mmCIF file of all heavy atoms in Angstrom:
data_model
loop_
_atom_site.group_PDB
_atom_site.id
_atom_site.type_symbol
_atom_site.label_atom_id
_atom_site.label_comp_id
_atom_site.label_asym_id
_atom_site.label_seq_id
_atom_site.Cartn_x
_atom_site.Cartn_y
_atom_site.Cartn_z
ATOM 1 N N ALA A 232 6.622 12.233 -23.001
ATOM 2 C CA ALA A 232 6.586 11.392 -24.222
ATOM 3 C C ALA A 232 8.008 11.186 -24.759
ATOM 4 O O ALA A 232 8.361 10.102 -25.189
ATOM 5 C CB ALA A 232 5.756 12.067 -25.302
ATOM 6 N N ALA A 233 8.854 12.233 -24.734
ATOM 7 C CA ALA A 233 10.253 12.096 -25.156
ATOM 8 C C ALA A 233 10.984 11.138 -24.267
ATOM 9 O O ALA A 233 11.788 10.331 -24.742
ATOM 10 C CB ALA A 233 10.907 13.485 -25.172
ATOM 11 N N GLU A 234 10.754 11.219 -22.960
ATOM 12 C CA GLU A 234 11.394 10.311 -22.031
ATOM 13 C C GLU A 234 11.014 8.866 -22.297
ATOM 14 O O GLU A 234 11.833 7.939 -22.268
ATOM 15 C CB GLU A 234 11.095 10.713 -20.593
ATOM 16 C CG GLU A 234 11.761 9.855 -19.547
ATOM 17 C CD GLU A 234 11.431 10.257 -18.151
ATOM 18 O OE1 GLU A 234 10.989 11.434 -17.940
ATOM 19 O OE2 GLU A 234 11.602 9.423 -17.242
ATOM 20 N N ALA A 235 9.706 8.652 -22.517
ATOM 21 C CA ALA A 235 9.228 7.318 -22.841
ATOM 22 C C ALA A 235 9.884 6.768 -24.101
ATOM 23 O O ALA A 235 10.218 5.581 -24.207
ATOM 24 C CB ALA A 235 7.688 7.289 -22.941
ATOM 25 N N GLY A 236 10.019 7.655 -25.100
ATOM 26 C CA GLY A 236 10.684 7.278 -26.346
ATOM 27 C C GLY A 236 12.137 6.892 -26.129
ATOM 28 O O GLY A 236 12.616 5.911 -26.729
ATOM 29 N N ARG A 237 12.831 7.645 -25.293
ATOM 30 C CA ARG A 237 14.236 7.324 -24.985
ATOM 31 C C ARG A 237 14.323 5.978 -24.252
ATOM 32 O O ARG A 237 15.216 5.164 -24.560
ATOM 33 C CB ARG A 237 14.873 8.413 -24.133
ATOM 34 C CG ARG A 237 15.274 9.666 -24.915
ATOM 35 C CD ARG A 237 16.101 10.579 -24.069
ATOM 36 N NE ARG A 237 15.435 11.098 -22.882
ATOM 37 C CZ ARG A 237 14.602 12.137 -22.866
ATOM 38 N NH1 ARG A 237 14.387 12.830 -23.956
ATOM 39 N NH2 ARG A 237 14.037 12.523 -21.751
ATOM 40 N N GLU A 238 13.418 5.732 -23.344
ATOM 41 C CA GLU A 238 13.427 4.437 -22.615
ATOM 42 C C GLU A 238 13.137 3.309 -23.537
ATOM 43 O O GLU A 238 13.762 2.206 -23.443
ATOM 44 C CB GLU A 238 12.412 4.493 -21.463
ATOM 45 C CG GLU A 238 12.805 5.392 -20.341
ATOM 46 C CD GLU A 238 11.748 5.523 -19.250
ATOM 47 O OE1 GLU A 238 10.696 4.815 -19.354
ATOM 48 O OE2 GLU A 238 11.939 6.281 -18.317
ATOM 49 N N LEU A 239 12.212 3.475 -24.464
ATOM 50 C CA LEU A 239 11.900 2.416 -25.416
ATOM 51 C C LEU A 239 13.112 2.133 -26.301
ATOM 52 O O LEU A 239 13.475 0.982 -26.521
ATOM 53 C CB LEU A 239 10.730 2.830 -26.291
ATOM 54 C CG LEU A 239 10.361 1.860 -27.408
ATOM 55 C CD1 LEU A 239 9.909 0.515 -26.821
ATOM 56 C CD2 LEU A 239 9.267 2.458 -28.293
ATOM 57 N N ARG A 240 13.777 3.182 -26.821
ATOM 58 C CA ARG A 240 14.927 2.950 -27.686
ATOM 59 C C ARG A 240 16.066 2.301 -26.907
ATOM 60 O O ARG A 240 16.815 1.472 -27.451
ATOM 61 C CB ARG A 240 15.386 4.273 -28.289
ATOM 62 C CG ARG A 240 14.459 4.662 -29.446
ATOM 63 C CD ARG A 240 14.891 5.979 -30.128
ATOM 64 N NE ARG A 240 14.199 6.183 -31.371
ATOM 65 C CZ ARG A 240 12.894 6.477 -31.480
ATOM 66 N NH1 ARG A 240 12.129 6.539 -30.443
ATOM 67 N NH2 ARG A 240 12.358 6.658 -32.688
ATOM 68 N N ALA A 241 16.252 2.646 -25.631
ATOM 69 C CA ALA A 241 17.269 1.997 -24.807
ATOM 70 C C ALA A 241 16.981 0.530 -24.597
ATOM 71 O O ALA A 241 17.855 -0.347 -24.660
ATOM 72 C CB ALA A 241 17.403 2.697 -23.475
ATOM 73 N N ALA A 242 15.684 0.208 -24.414
ATOM 74 C CA ALA A 242 15.314 -1.194 -24.254
ATOM 75 C C ALA A 242 15.495 -1.975 -25.564
ATOM 76 O O ALA A 242 15.953 -3.103 -25.558
ATOM 77 C CB ALA A 242 13.821 -1.278 -23.822
ATOM 78 N N VAL A 243 15.209 -1.330 -26.678
ATOM 79 C CA VAL A 243 15.426 -1.967 -27.986
ATOM 80 C C VAL A 243 16.929 -2.288 -28.217
ATOM 81 O O VAL A 243 17.291 -3.337 -28.680
ATOM 82 C CB VAL A 243 14.855 -1.090 -29.124
ATOM 83 C CG1 VAL A 243 15.372 -1.551 -30.485
ATOM 84 C CG2 VAL A 243 13.367 -1.102 -29.102
ATOM 85 N N ARG A 244 17.789 -1.348 -27.779
ATOM 86 C CA ARG A 244 19.236 -1.588 -27.933
ATOM 87 C C ARG A 244 19.728 -2.763 -27.103
ATOM 88 O O ARG A 244 20.730 -3.399 -27.439
ATOM 89 C CB ARG A 244 20.010 -0.320 -27.599
ATOM 90 C CG ARG A 244 19.950 0.733 -28.653
ATOM 91 C CD ARG A 244 20.949 1.857 -28.391
ATOM 92 N NE ARG A 244 20.703 2.544 -27.124
ATOM 93 C CZ ARG A 244 19.884 3.619 -26.988
ATOM 94 N NH1 ARG A 244 19.246 4.117 -28.007
ATOM 95 N NH2 ARG A 244 19.720 4.168 -25.812
ATOM 96 N N ARG A 245 19.017 -3.104 -26.038
ATOM 97 C CA ARG A 245 19.430 -4.220 -25.166
ATOM 98 C C ARG A 245 18.957 -5.565 -25.662
ATOM 99 O O ARG A 245 19.288 -6.604 -25.101
ATOM 100 C CB ARG A 245 18.886 -3.998 -23.745
ATOM 101 C CG ARG A 245 19.567 -2.831 -23.016
ATOM 102 C CD ARG A 245 19.247 -2.840 -21.524
ATOM 103 N NE ARG A 245 17.829 -2.898 -21.196
ATOM 104 C CZ ARG A 245 17.038 -1.864 -21.029
ATOM 105 N NH1 ARG A 245 17.519 -0.665 -21.134
ATOM 106 N NH2 ARG A 245 15.762 -2.029 -20.725
ATOM 107 N N LEU A 246 18.158 -5.599 -26.727
ATOM 108 C CA LEU A 246 17.662 -6.842 -27.246
ATOM 109 C C LEU A 246 18.771 -7.690 -27.905
ATOM 110 O O LEU A 246 19.788 -7.134 -28.374
ATOM 111 C CB LEU A 246 16.565 -6.601 -28.302
ATOM 112 C CG LEU A 246 15.229 -6.108 -27.770
ATOM 113 C CD1 LEU A 246 14.323 -5.714 -28.930
ATOM 114 C CD2 LEU A 246 14.571 -7.188 -26.934
ATOM 115 N N PRO A 247 18.636 -9.005 -27.919
ATOM 116 C CA PRO A 247 19.676 -9.859 -28.508
ATOM 117 C C PRO A 247 19.587 -9.953 -30.049
ATOM 118 O O PRO A 247 18.537 -9.631 -30.626
ATOM 119 C CB PRO A 247 19.384 -11.230 -27.878
ATOM 120 C CG PRO A 247 17.886 -11.205 -27.656
ATOM 121 C CD PRO A 247 17.573 -9.793 -27.281
ATOM 122 N N GLY A 248 20.640 -10.409 -30.663
ATOM 123 C CA GLY A 248 20.695 -10.697 -32.110
ATOM 124 C C GLY A 248 20.463 -9.506 -32.999
ATOM 125 O O GLY A 248 20.914 -8.407 -32.781
ATOM 126 N N ARG A 249 19.661 -9.754 -34.023
ATOM 127 C CA ARG A 249 19.392 -8.708 -35.017
ATOM 128 C C ARG A 249 18.171 -7.895 -34.672
ATOM 129 O O ARG A 249 17.795 -7.010 -35.445
ATOM 130 C CB ARG A 249 19.249 -9.333 -36.404
ATOM 131 C CG ARG A 249 18.257 -10.417 -36.560
ATOM 132 C CD ARG A 249 18.289 -11.020 -37.883
ATOM 133 N NE ARG A 249 17.449 -12.215 -37.920
ATOM 134 C CZ ARG A 249 17.374 -13.017 -38.949
ATOM 135 N NH1 ARG A 249 18.028 -12.759 -40.029
ATOM 136 N NH2 ARG A 249 16.566 -14.058 -38.890
ATOM 137 N N CYS A 250 17.568 -8.144 -33.553
ATOM 138 C CA CYS A 250 16.370 -7.393 -33.123
ATOM 139 C C CYS A 250 16.625 -5.891 -32.994
ATOM 140 O O CYS A 250 15.787 -5.096 -33.430
ATOM 141 C CB CYS A 250 15.842 -7.937 -31.815
ATOM 142 S SG CYS A 250 15.084 -9.591 -31.966
ATOM 143 N N PRO A 251 17.726 -5.424 -32.369
ATOM 144 C CA PRO A 251 17.936 -3.986 -32.223
ATOM 145 C C PRO A 251 17.926 -3.282 -33.595
ATOM 146 O O PRO A 251 17.324 -2.206 -33.726
ATOM 147 C CB PRO A 251 19.278 -3.848 -31.551
ATOM 148 C CG PRO A 251 19.460 -5.162 -30.821
ATOM 149 C CD PRO A 251 18.790 -6.162 -31.671
#
Side-chain angles (χ1 to χ4, degrees):
E234 182 180 340
R237 282 191 299 275
E238 290 175 4
L239 175 64
R240 283 181 168 69
V243 166
R244 285 191 298 272
R245 291 193 308 268
L246 288 172
R249 56 185 170 184
C250 290

